[in-house]
Amino acid sequence: MFRKFKPSQLLIVFAILLLLFAVTQWMQSRKGEKTFRSEIAPFDTAKVTEIMLQEGKKEVRIFKTNNLWKVSSGNAVWNADPNAVRNLMEEVSLLKAEQVAATSDALWKELGVDDSAGIHVTIKGNRKTLAAIVAGRFSYRPPLSPYDRQGTAITYVRRADEKNVYAVDGFLRFSMAPDPGSFRNKSLISGENASWIRLRFTYPGDSSFVLEKKDKAWYVDQTPADSAKTTEYLGNMERVMGYEFADSARKAQFPAFTLLVEQSGGNPIEIKAFPSDSTHHYVLSSSMNPESWFSGKNGLTERIFKGKNYFLKQQKETK
């Protein structure tokens, strides 16, 4: 039969068939893109200037101003923890779909991704929306292998501009919940103790003292300090975090304890402890994070404010 066709005609037929094959493949790939995404909401985290988290009436705004991250809720504004903000952005940008859970809005409510139940995450940059997703309920997936005893947790997620719902690994509702405390700066002290030259402890009565470095050795007033205890204390003080905020707690007008850390080549750091109620005992403030108040319970006050005898060498008893 092919002998009836000229070579040029056969080439035309072959080209047409090749074109039809290419179009078919392209349409199938486009159809696959519409039903399944491996990457749900990719974006460049370096371009982000604002993040909105909403769940019902709860709303938290995280925004960048003068290259610093802030977090606000209502009329209150605090310094944000840049690491927490970075983790949130990376988590959203790297979301991977494990499977398609729904292809219409009929199951939105059941999967917790409707407007009322879902957590809306909107990420913007230069007044442009870079990503917008809705995180729904999570469920537990039993292990598929006898060697996996833990199984996996999955969360249902949809893009705000799509009807499809995807299953992704992890408990996303915990990390994306509009809780300002999760994204606030929790630091009271952050620095390298090698630059510290003097710590002034101000206490009631005559119990105040100064811990000072002289010729690479530490002294309590004029007495040599216990090297081991001083080194341990200074090491524990380089990174002090307060994990419970107490902004609305009742507190005394004046502090009971004050610690002033003087350092070479940097501003001094001042920590104050104000007497409070039986819940917090003391409420602490820091010059490094002046917008926040921290609960002094769970050993935070005792960790920072040590007595004079703590740093002195203990004399051995003689018989």
Side-chain angles (χ1 to χ4, degrees):
M1 181 181 70
F2 289 105
R3 293 177 182 177
K4 297 180 181 180
F5 292 94
K6 296 179 180 180
S8 60
Q9 292 175 322
L10 289 175
L11 287 174
I12 293 174
V13 172
F14 178 76
I16 293 174
L17 292 175
L18 184 62
L19 179 61
L20 289 174
F21 175 79
V23 171
T24 302
Q25 292 293 106
W26 179 79
M27 292 179 65
Q28 288 180 348
S29 66
R30 292 291 295 169
K31 182 179 179 181
E33 288 177 4
K34 292 180 180 179
T35 57
F36 185 80
R37 291 177 178 270
S38 60
E39 295 182 339
I40 296 178
F43 60 91
D44 185 355
T45 57
K47 295 182 179 180
V48 177
T49 58
E50 182 180 358
I51 304 172
M52 292 292 296
L53 304 174
Q54 293 176 292
E55 182 182 15
K57 295 183 179 180
K58 297 179 181 178
E59 181 175 296
V60 167
R61 177 173 175 250
I62 304 169
F63 59 97
K64 183 182 287 187
T65 177
N66 297 325
N67 290 323
L68 296 176
W69 284 103
K70 297 282 187 176
V71 57
S72 67
S73 179
N75 295 323
V77 180
W78 307 277
N79 290 326
D81 179 356
N83 292 324
V85 177
R86 186 184 307 111
N87 291 340
L88 174 62
M89 291 190 296
E90 291 180 351
E91 184 173 34
V92 176
S93 67
L94 297 176
L95 285 177
K96 302 288 185 181
E98 297 295 323
Q99 66 183 59
V100 177
T103 57
S104 71
D105 56 6
L107 294 177
W108 280 10
K109 186 174 183 179
E110 180 181 341
L111 298 178
V113 294
D114 57 331
D115 290 340
S116 60
I119 296 177
H120 294 252
V121 182
T122 305
I123 298 178
K124 298 181 179 181
N126 296 326
R127 301 180 182 179
K128 177 183 177 182
T129 298
L130 303 178
I133 65 169
V134 182
R137 71 175 180 84
F138 59 84
S139 62
Y140 173 76
R141 179 186 293 166
L144 301 177
S145 168
Y147 300 101
D148 179 11
R149 298 183 178 181
Q150 295 182 344
T152 57
I154 60 171
T155 300
Y156 298 104
V157 175
R158 70 173 174 90
R159 287 171 56 102
D161 59 352
E162 288 187 4
K163 290 186 177 182
N164 288 357
V165 182
Y166 304 95
V168 302
D169 285 339
F171 293 103
L172 302 186
R173 293 187 70 91
F174 293 148
S175 57
M176 299 179 184
D179 173 19
S182 299
F183 304 99
R184 288 175 60 178
N185 183 357
K186 302 175 179 63
S187 177
L188 281 86
I189 299 178
S190 179
E192 302 295 333
N193 68 55
S195 65
W196 297 353
I197 57 176
R198 194 175 297 106
L199 282 73
R200 298 183 182 275
F201 294 85
T202 303
Y203 293 149
D206 58 355
S207 56
S208 300
F209 66 96
V210 176
L211 180 66
E212 185 174 10
K213 184 191 290 186
K214 299 178 181 180
D215 297 327
K216 299 182 180 181
W218 287 91
Y219 290 80
V220 178
D221 294 333
Q222 302 301 321
T223 305
D226 185 299
S227 177
K229 283 192 173 182
T230 302
T231 299
E232 180 182 14
Y233 172 80
L234 295 175
N236 290 334
M237 288 289 287
E238 284 188 326
R239 300 287 185 275
V240 179
M241 310 287 284
Y243 293 99
E244 184 171 340
F245 294 102
D247 300 303
S248 59
R250 297 180 60 184
K251 51 188 174 293
Q253 184 177 0
F254 301 103
F257 316 132
T258 300
L259 169 61
L260 183 66
V261 180
E262 299 178 20
Q263 51 187 342
S264 59
N267 295 325
I269 305 169
E270 188 173 45
I271 309 294
K272 296 180 179 180
F274 296 80
S276 184
D277 53 34
S278 58
T279 299
H280 303 287
H281 306 298
Y282 292 93
V283 173
L284 277 59
S285 68
S286 169
S287 61
M288 294 194 72
N289 196 357
E291 299 168 343
S292 300
W293 295 89
F294 299 90
S295 175
K297 66 179 185 180
N298 297 326
L300 182 60
T301 306
E302 291 77 10
R303 174 184 174 182
I304 297 173
F305 296 99
K306 299 293 187 182
K308 182 176 182 178
N309 289 335
Y310 176 87
F311 298 100
L312 294 176
K313 295 179 180 180
Q314 301 299 315
Q315 300 295 327
K316 295 182 180 181
E317 296 183 0
T318 58
K319 294 182 180 180

